Amino acid sequence: MNKQGKVIIIAGTPRSGKTTLSIRLSRNGFSRISFDHLGNALKTAFPDIIPDSHDQDTCSACLFEFFQSLVISAYEDAAHYGVNTVFDVYDFTPEYIRKLPHQEMLDAYFLGYPDNNVHEIEQNIVYYAQPTDWITQVNAQYLKEVAARCYKVNQNLMKQCVQYGYPFINTKSGDERDKILDELYNAVMAK
């Protein structure tokens, strides 16, 4: 009989460490599904079905059914084959994750930086950007708008995590961020 695998969702605000953590898990026995990349590909390929909207709730609702089918498939792989899967995702808040079936088979963590103001968030977005990131292709005004949206998302995630009982990890920034991500990685691996 196979050992039960794990299904982990790492969700939260852009530049909070979701991808960093999920890649680290993928190097240590987890299959990684970046729903951010997958969702963006679906929005591009099927614009009539999935609107590329700045209204996060509208976009999330369109993608959630597909995401749910992937999570259910990961549950089956975990139960029957001992496969560990990590999803990193921006599109879904705790309100959505709570709708997934078999919550007992799932560990979800939400990452953010609620103590940062809009200007600090803007600095973090630039600081953690990779050469191929979207940030290299936008103007300063758009970056300010993204930072303002991230501020609102942080506040909303914190409230919803309390409401729905999911852990919210304040990843902050700089060296402290790396230490917090190390602690979360160790906690996930120890479960």
Side-chain angles (χ1 to χ4, degrees), residues 98-117:
R98 178 49 85 202
K99 295 175 186 177
L100 292 170
H102 308 297
Q103 289 286 309
E104 73 282 359
M105 296 179 71
L106 174 70
D107 286 321
Y109 303 90
F110 288 85
L111 282 56
Y113 31 82
D115 301 335
N116 292 21
N117 63 37

Side-chain angles (χ1 to χ4, degrees), residues 72-92:
I72 290 169
S73 181
Y75 289 156
E76 292 169 3
D77 288 345
H80 299 295
Y81 306 109
V83 174
N84 296 322
T85 303
V86 60
F87 293 89
D88 67 87
V89 60
Y90 166 75
D91 288 302
F92 306 116

Side-chain angles (χ1 to χ4, degrees), residues 14 24 34 50 54 59 68 78-79 81 89 93 125 133 144 156 168 191:
R24 190 168 173 196
S34 171
I50 304 168
H54 289 296
C59 206
Q68 181 171 289
Y81 306 109
V89 60
T93 62
I125 289 171
D133 280 347
K144 288 182 188 314
N156 183 44
F168 181 86
K191 269 189 151 184

